[in-house]
Amino acid sequence: TMATARLLGRTTASTGAVEEISVGSGLSLSGGTLTATGGGGGAADYQEFTSSGTWTKPAGATFIYVECVSGGGGGGSGRRGAAGTVRCGGGGGASGKFVSRWMPASLAGATETVTVGAGGTGYAATTTNDTNGSNGTNGGSSSFGSLLITPAAYGGTGGSATTGSAGVVSYYGATTSGQYAASGGSASTVGGPGGAGNRAALGPGGGSGGGGISASNVDGNGGVGGQGFGEQKNSVAATITTSGGGTAGSAGNSGGNGTGLGDGGGGGGGSSTAAAGAGGNGAFPGGGGGGGGASLNGFNSGAGGNGGAGVVRVWSW
């Protein structure tokens, strides 16, 4: 039996191209295409879980490859404040984390519980004068039994009179950025444009920060959402979909779907003359939500965008 499947694979440090690696008798990965030619327990089986459920091991399976992506963090909402003060947009949510594992099928049980993390919810618009924005919720963890688990992705913080902090990548309790997840963009500390969402070398994109309003009442644009690395993109420098930030008072764009991993949402624009723009939603799977823009008292600030839901993908032979 001959079967092929596109996989994210591991990338080289220099170019981001998928490595050519051997993964066992009858299996090879070349340029991102996995080929199975006999030697295994039968035809290749592929199952994608977009909601939690149970995976059942196919009869005769000898080898398994699993990918898990956690849900992206939701964006924070912007501050609503008085003229002549600094008002910052909300921070963008972090992207979900991508993890993968090759393993003998004997390591897995006859069935395995699959958990798919939900995308974090962006916080609603601020509707009270002189009030900071609020944090977006974290994206949920995804897992394949106890054999592969992703950490949660932090939501962006609400905009304040000093800053709107980015969502931070979660590393099983640690909070440092890494290769396979990306932090969201933060709003400027002077109420200016929102920061761009970050991009992982191999993972979904972070949401961008919402635009603020400076003490001189200049409106800031939302930042551009981070780009997700797709399974058919063979270089981190490839031209892929971007998620534009909103101009003054307009909403940020939702993240675009890559061929494998989602882009982060664009940040909403700040506005001193009308309601501020909402952050764009992160794309499936795992894109971070954009932060909402800041507003003047009397107008609602921008709500944060929702994070993209996670996914679990299982190949077996």
Side-chain angles (χ1 to χ4, degrees):
T1 299
M2 170 72 76
T4 61
R6 292 292 306 185
L7 299 178
L8 285 164
R10 190 173 49 177
T11 58
T12 61
S14 59
T15 66
V18 177
E19 294 178 351
E20 296 187 5
I21 59 176
S22 174
V23 296
S25 176
L27 297 172
S28 63
L29 178 65
S30 178
T33 298
L34 184 75
T35 303
T37 55
D45 178 85
Y46 171 70
Q47 299 180 49
E48 179 174 285
F49 292 83
T50 56
S51 60
S52 299
T54 301
W55 176 81
T56 300
K57 186 190 300 184
T62 60
F63 209 83
I64 302 171
Y65 172 75
V66 183
E67 295 176 351
C68 291
V69 180
S70 48
S77 58
R79 175 175 169 79
R80 173 169 162 164
T85 65
V86 171
R87 291 141 283 173
C88 292
S95 76
K97 180 171 168 56
F98 165 79
V99 295
S100 63
R101 183 179 181 182
W102 303 88
M103 68 189 89
S106 59
L107 288 182
T111 61
E112 293 287 349
T113 299
V114 174
T115 300
V116 176
T121 303
Y123 204 87
T126 306
T127 59
T128 303
N129 288 343
D130 301 312
T131 302
N132 289 338
S134 297
N135 299 352
T137 61
N138 296 343
S141 174
S142 295
S143 60
F144 179 75
S146 61
L147 297 170
L148 193 64
I149 303 172
T150 66
Y154 285 100
T157 61
S160 69
T162 56
T163 189
S165 298
V168 181
V169 173
S170 172
Y171 257 64
Y172 297 99
T175 54
T176 56
S177 296
Q179 185 180 12
Y180 300 137
S183 58
S186 59
S188 168
T189 56
V190 294
N198 294 305
R199 182 185 185 196
L202 181 59
S208 64
I213 308 172
S214 70
S216 57
N217 301 313
V218 176
D219 300 336
N221 296 336
V224 176
Q227 300 169 336
F229 190 94
E231 55 198 21
Q232 295 183 21
K233 301 160 188 170
N234 61 6
S235 169
V236 295
T239 301
I240 58 178
T241 301
T242 59
S243 310
T247 56
S250 65
N253 294 333
S254 293
N257 289 87
T259 54
L261 295 167
D263 298 339
S271 177
S272 55
T273 59
N281 295 329
F284 169 85
S295 67
L296 175 68
N297 282 344
F299 302 103
N300 290 347
S301 76
N306 298 327
V311 71
V312 175
R313 297 163 172 157
V314 189
W315 289 261
S316 57
W317 301 267

